[in-house]
Amino acid sequence: MRGGSSLSEEQRCEAVALFEAGWGRQAVAVRLSGSASAVNRLYDRWRVRGTGALVAMPGKRVFSFEVKREVVRRFLAGETKVALAREFELSSPKLIENWARKYRDEGDDGLRPKRPGRPPGAGGGDRGRSAGELGEVSELERLRRENERLRAENAYLGKLRALRAQQRR
C-alpha cells in the first residue's frame, strides 16, 4: 500500500470489506469520514486487484514504450481502464489516465522513457535559448555577459565591505 495515503491501515481494510459487500465509493468515503480521492484511488485498485489492493506492490515497474502505446491506443479506442489494468497487471487504472494525458499532450514522445536528470543545455543562465543559439554566442555577447557578472560581483563585494565597516564602528 502507498505510504502517502490519507487512509489508515484499518480504514483501508474496512473500505475493501465494504466494497466486497457491495458499497459504492461515495458511501464508503462518507462512512469512513475519509478523503474521497483516497477512497476513489483505493476503489480503482480494488476493481483491478480485489483484496490484493491492500498489498503493497513489490516495487516500481517500468513499462516499455510499446506496452504504453498499446495500452493507450486500446484505451482511446474505448476499452475500459479497469480491464486494461487487469490484463497488463498495472498497479492502478490511474496509470492509464496519466499515459493517455501525456500521449494527448506530447504524442508518442510523451510515452518514451526519459533520461534521468536535467536535459542537456538546461543549466544556469542559458535558459530560453535553443541549442543552436548556445553554440553561436558572439565574442561581443560573451564579453558583455562577463562584464555584467563582474559588475554584480564588484557591487556585492562593495556592500560586503560596507557591512563589515559598519560592524566595526
Side-chain angles (χ1 to χ4, degrees):
M1 210 53 227
R2 297 176 39 178
S5 177
S6 62
L7 299 174
S8 70
E9 188 70 33
E10 290 174 4
Q11 287 176 315
R12 290 191 297 260
C13 289
E14 186 177 350
V16 167
L18 292 171
F19 295 150
E20 296 283 335
W23 287 52
R25 59 176 87 196
Q26 289 179 335
V28 170
V30 170
R31 166 85 182 254
L32 298 178
S33 301
S35 161
S37 62
V39 171
N40 286 339
R41 286 190 305 269
L42 180 61
Y43 181 80
D44 286 342
R45 286 192 307 275
W46 171 77
R47 287 179 52 201
V48 172
R49 298 190 319 216
T51 55
L54 294 172
V55 179
M57 292 301 284
K60 185 174 180 179
R61 291 177 49 201
V62 177
F63 296 92
S64 70
F65 164 71
E66 290 77 17
V67 169
K68 290 178 186 178
R69 186 172 54 186
E70 176 66 13
V71 170
V72 168
R73 184 188 64 75
R74 289 174 54 185
F75 172 66
L76 295 176
E79 292 188 46
T80 67
K81 294 180 296 186
V82 174
L84 289 168
R86 274 192 196 120
E87 180 181 339
F88 287 92
E89 298 178 358
L90 303 177
S91 59
S92 168
K94 189 74 175 163
L95 270 177
I96 298 171
E97 288 179 29
N98 294 340
W99 293 345
R101 185 176 351 91
K102 285 183 179 181
Y103 180 77
R104 286 182 189 117
D105 292 346
E106 304 171 34
D108 280 349
D109 288 339
L111 301 177
R112 293 190 193 282
K114 309 287 188 286
R115 287 179 45 196
R118 185 178 288 177
D126 296 325
R127 290 190 183 123
R129 292 184 176 265
S130 69
E133 289 175 317
L134 287 176
E136 299 171 12
V137 175
S138 69
E139 179 73 10
L140 181 60
E141 180 64 24
R142 188 187 63 75
L143 290 172
R144 285 183 177 151
R145 286 184 187 174
E146 183 179 1
N147 197 11
E148 185 178 334
R149 184 186 58 80
L150 290 172
R151 278 193 188 122
E153 191 176 304
N154 195 22
Y156 171 78
L157 291 172
K159 289 196 183 260
L160 185 62
R161 280 190 208 108
L163 284 172
R164 286 188 178 159
Q166 196 176 33
Q167 286 176 347
R168 288 186 208 146
R169 292 182 196 170

